[in-house]
Amino acid sequence: MKLIKLTAISAAVLASTAALAAEPVVVVDDNTAVAYEAEPVAVAYEAEPAYAYNADAGVVRNTTGAVVGGTKTFFQTAINPAAVSAEVGTLGYGANIAWGLNEKTELQAGWAGGDVAELFGGDFDANDVNYDVDSDFSNPYLGVQLRPTGNWFTMGAGIIVPDNDIDVTANPEGGFYKINDTKYDAESVGALQGTMEHRNKLAPYATIGFRPNITNNFGLFGEIGAAYMGKTDATVTASNTSGGPIFIQDGNGDRVEVAGETAQGVANMAEQELEDKDYLEWMPIVKVGATYRF
């Protein structure tokens, strides 16, 4: 009977709650006290992996919403950038947004543009013809900014999507345009005006620079580098469309008519010289700006 009673009591104790199981249990039978210490109940949980492969779709499915930074979703990361910057330079006036990928790497998206012809002097020479330049730049870009040594020194690389309008107007010298070593009378040709456009639709760039922090939130930066815009396509027209005779200056300084030449023919020769010039094929990048970090 004593054995049966002890067995029943022990079974009841071991089946009690987890809270009671954590404490020693004393069973008293007649004058004998016996102490039992229940083993804790082990409960197994299986955590679902952060990324589960969907064999049917052939893609990685995110099951926890962790995309960037372990706990941030992609949307949360996109609307919470690491920094914003304002800049001015040879690509124009603009701004960019940066997202921190890690302590040394930022992804940047920005835009720079406007009339920056004066930054390049406002004119240039194509062979012996001087051209005034007006520009309307639009340069959206996407790049990566690195701090390889973990300090203010930076290296950047990326892609520009250039949409730069460059308008040119030829300046006659002494009343003549010197094209292909021939002096064409500017009055008989008329004004030579045209446009230039770079052929590259995507322009790779690289820069080096510095980004010192002034306070915990504010900093300055400067960068130098280059972007490969590619060769140029030019279009030049002459304002004299009357079909009148074209004159040149001969070796004696006399004004002589050129049989069979037209004003647009002279413009076409000027156009070829402009394309041979490859104006800003390698676009220099020089810019400075200020940054606010969140």
Side-chain angles (χ1 to χ4, degrees):
M1 180 61 69
K2 181 177 180 179
L3 178 60
I4 294 174
K5 291 167 64 178
L6 288 174
T7 301
I9 293 171
S10 299
V13 170
L14 295 177
S16 63
T17 64
L20 292 177
E23 299 293 334
V25 179
V26 179
V27 179
V28 180
D29 181 68
D30 295 333
N31 296 323
T32 303
V34 180
Y36 297 88
E37 184 171 0
E39 292 293 328
V41 178
V43 180
Y45 296 92
E46 183 175 354
E48 187 174 2
Y51 298 91
Y53 181 74
N54 185 336
D56 296 330
V59 298
V60 175
R61 179 171 57 89
N62 184 309
T63 60
T64 65
V67 177
V68 179
T71 59
K72 290 184 178 181
T73 66
F74 181 81
F75 178 75
Q76 289 171 329
T77 301
I79 64 174
N80 292 281
V84 294
S85 301
E87 64 183 57
V88 58
T90 53
L91 292 177
Y93 310 88
N96 67 63
I97 303 175
W99 294 268
L101 302 182
N102 55 49
E103 293 181 353
K104 296 183 179 181
T105 308
E106 285 183 347
L107 178 66
Q108 288 185 336
W111 177 90
D115 185 359
V116 297
E118 292 300 324
L119 295 176
F120 299 101
D123 66 343
F124 70 93
D125 293 331
N127 287 347
D128 294 312
V129 180
N130 179 263
Y131 290 88
D132 287 332
V133 181
D134 288 317
S135 65
D136 185 12
F137 279 14
S138 177
N139 292 296
Y141 62 88
L142 182 65
V144 176
Q145 194 72 225
L146 303 175
R147 294 178 183 262
T149 57
N151 57 15
W152 56 264
F153 175 71
T154 62
M155 299 176 64
I159 291 293
I160 299 172
V161 187
D163 184 15
N164 300 325
D165 296 327
I166 304 171
D167 297 325
V168 296
T169 302
N171 296 314
E173 182 178 350
F176 294 90
Y177 302 116
K178 189 175 181 181
I179 302 172
N180 290 340
D181 295 324
T182 301
K183 290 185 176 181
Y184 291 90
D185 179 67
E187 184 178 350
S188 63
V189 174
L192 292 178
Q193 296 178 314
T195 62
M196 300 177 67
E197 182 179 2
H198 292 102
R199 296 175 185 174
N200 282 8
K201 303 306 179 185
L202 294 176
Y205 75 87
T207 62
I208 59 173
F210 64 95
R211 288 179 175 265
N213 293 325
I214 306 304
T215 68
N216 288 337
N217 298 107
F218 287 97
L220 302 175
F221 70 88
E223 293 179 39
I224 60 173
Y228 182 65
M229 296 291 186
K231 297 184 179 297
T232 55
D233 290 322
T235 300
V236 178
T237 59
S239 63
N240 185 3
T241 58
S242 65
I246 302 300
F247 293 90
I248 65 171
Q249 186 182 64
D250 64 12
N252 297 320
D254 297 326
R255 190 168 177 265
V256 180
E257 181 180 346
V258 181
E261 188 61 270
T262 64
Q264 188 54 46
V266 176
N268 292 340
M269 289 186 285
E271 181 178 293
Q272 186 59 55
E273 287 191 346
L274 279 175
E275 292 187 349
D276 292 341
K277 172 70 175 179
D278 286 330
Y279 180 64
L280 298 180
E281 178 181 3
W282 285 93
M283 173 79 77
I285 296 177
V286 180
K287 62 181 176 180
V288 295
T291 298
Y292 180 83
R293 296 194 173 278
F294 298 100

